Amino acid sequence: MILDRFRVTGQAAVVTGAGRGIGAATAIALAQAGADVLISARTEDQLAKVAREIEAAGRRAVVVPADLSDLDAVAGLASAAAEAFGRLDIVVNNVGGALPRPFLATKPRHLADAFQFNVGTTHRLTQAAVPFLLASGGGVAINISSVMGRVAGRGYLAYGTAKAALAHYTRLAAADLAPRIRVNAIAVGSVATSALDIVLTNDEMRGQMERATPLGRIGDPEDIAAAVLYLASPAGGYITGKIIEVDGGLGQPNLDLGLPDL
């Protein structure tokens, strides 16, 4: 049956930034589809809650609290998963982000930090995972990028530049690692996570964002988790080097930060 192609039964995954939001939803979705999952983020209490949901799905969870801006800590997740589960098949590079800033307030270090946190962490974990993915017969890395990597809006210079770099990193890594390891990315739109709390709790701002989104709503973390599962599973087995846009149809930013002309 076609639905069987969306199963990842008996596989093992690593998901970064998995304490809440997209990372948590992704880890739970992979478990519900049959995978054991190592989850990592800063906050152990949040990870423990996600681990309980993974176990409720009948799969094993390994919790690794860590500062994922530390590249060595990120790299260690691959071997930790392989040791715990005896294999590694799926890597989801979800951790990332950067604060919005006006152009003149965006210093070179802000660009460097954004690149390191969004691209450097992805490369470090993916590179560390490659031997384990190959040992399992091949595998997949999925990178969480953003709509801001392809559209222009004021205040997003560091974040958007880093996410655009992550998108092209995905294409280049896919070429390097084919045919045994697939590498894809998801360009995420506005999703109801803690990063949007200020919007979600303000009816006026939320309404503006919804009206500026062709599908008329803010995304749910499970919208992204479903796309991750597609790319991770045999259903997406003929896809590599691609950026899947899960953004409600956005062609331009749907949140105006109100930054004035210089």
Side-chain angles (χ1 to χ4, degrees):
M1 292 181 62
I2 190 64
L3 290 179
D4 292 337
R5 292 180 64 87
F6 292 85
R7 301 289 303 173
V8 288
T9 303
Q11 296 190 25
V14 169
V15 182
T16 62
R20 57 188 178 181
I22 291 170
T26 293
I28 294 164
L30 290 171
Q32 291 173 345
D36 298 322
V37 191
L38 182 148
I39 52 177
S40 186
R42 286 180 183 269
T43 307
E44 188 167 4
D45 289 349
Q46 292 176 345
L47 291 171
K49 180 180 178 181
V50 177
R52 288 193 292 271
E53 295 201 48
I54 291 170
E55 290 163 355
R59 305 309 305 180
R60 290 179 291 166
V62 171
V63 170
V64 181
D67 176 0
L68 297 179
S69 65
D70 179 340
L71 296 186
D72 290 336
V74 171
L77 300 179
S79 57
E83 182 177 351
F85 303 134
R87 62 183 299 135
L88 180 59
D89 307 273
I90 301 162
V91 173
V92 182
N93 292 298
N94 171 63
V95 72
L99 292 174
R101 286 183 174 86
F103 182 91
L104 292 179
T106 303
K107 307 302 182 185
R109 66 178 175 84
H110 295 135
L111 284 165
D113 289 347
F115 186 88
Q116 180 85 325
F117 194 41
N118 291 273
V119 185
T121 55
T122 292
H123 178 61
R124 191 71 178 92
L125 177 53
T126 303
Q127 189 177 61
V130 163
F132 302 109
L133 296 174
L134 292 174
S136 296
V140 59
I142 300 162
N143 306 324
I144 303 301
S145 187
S146 169
V147 63
M148 293 311 304
R150 65 173 177 84
V151 304
R154 285 183 176 177
Y156 299 102
L157 185 71
Y159 178 71
T161 299
K163 289 303 191 183
L166 180 59
H168 200 50
Y169 170 90
T170 297
R171 300 180 187 100
L172 294 168
D176 283 339
L177 299 176
R180 295 183 64 193
I181 297 173
R182 297 185 295 111
V183 186
N184 293 293
I186 300 172
V188 174
S190 298
V191 176
T193 67
S194 59
L196 279 185
D197 278 348
I198 191 171
V199 171
L200 300 175
T201 56
N202 183 309
D203 290 342
E204 182 179 354
M205 291 180 66
R206 178 170 187 143
Q208 289 176 355
M209 288 189 73
E210 290 172 342
R211 289 190 293 274
T213 303
L215 289 184
R217 68 176 178 90
I218 306 297
D220 186 274
E222 288 192 350
D223 292 323
I224 311 306
V228 171
L229 178 58
Y230 169 59
L231 292 173
S233 70
Y238 198 51
I239 301 172
T240 197
K242 302 304 179 185
I243 317 301
I244 307 297
E245 298 171 1
V246 185
D247 58 15
L250 291 177
Q252 59 187 13
N254 59 355
L255 177 61
D256 184 351
L257 298 178
L259 299 179
D261 295 346
L262 297 180

